[in-house]
Amino acid sequence: MAKGIKIRATAKKDSTTVKALMSHPMDTGLRKDKKTGKVIPAHFIQEVKCEHNGNAVLTALWGPAISKNPYLSFKFKGGNKGDSIKISWVDNKGESASQEAQIR
């Protein structure tokens, strides 16, 4: 499984738009393996955090209803070109990923 987060953040006037694409299987625990017929265990992102220069601007609690390779987009007030944005997630198996980018 490839873990990764692609981030694009742009500042315009007084708000910043953040767009992120996360690589994750997001298995619900209800699907069966086509070859073996066994149920594929649940494996999904539970918490997503976004920080701007070390300050939390978004915390999202997710469940198994989110699609594979989730896309997240949001805006917040503040942020200047060159500032740091960090997005991280933790899933129900304790795995995690994080990525930093600069606001353009």
Side-chain angles (χ1 to χ4, degrees), residues 43-88:
H43 188 198
F44 55 87
I45 295 173
Q46 287 186 310
E47 184 177 81
V48 179
K49 289 183 180 178
C50 180
E51 297 176 1
H52 167 240
N53 287 338
N55 299 315
V57 291
L58 175 102
T59 300
L61 303 176
W62 288 357
I66 305 294
S67 67
K68 180 179 180 179
N69 299 327
Y71 172 76
L72 174 68
S73 178
F74 63 95
K75 292 181 180 183
F76 67 93
K77 289 193 174 191
N80 298 307
K81 291 182 180 180
D83 287 355
S84 172
I85 291 287
K86 178 182 177 183
I87 294 181
S88 58

Side-chain angles (χ1 to χ4, degrees), residues 18 32-33 35 37 47 53 69 75 88-89 99 101:
V18 179
K32 291 183 179 180
D33 187 317
K35 293 181 181 174
E47 184 177 81
N53 287 338
N69 299 327
K75 292 181 180 183
S88 58
W89 58 254
Q99 184 71 42

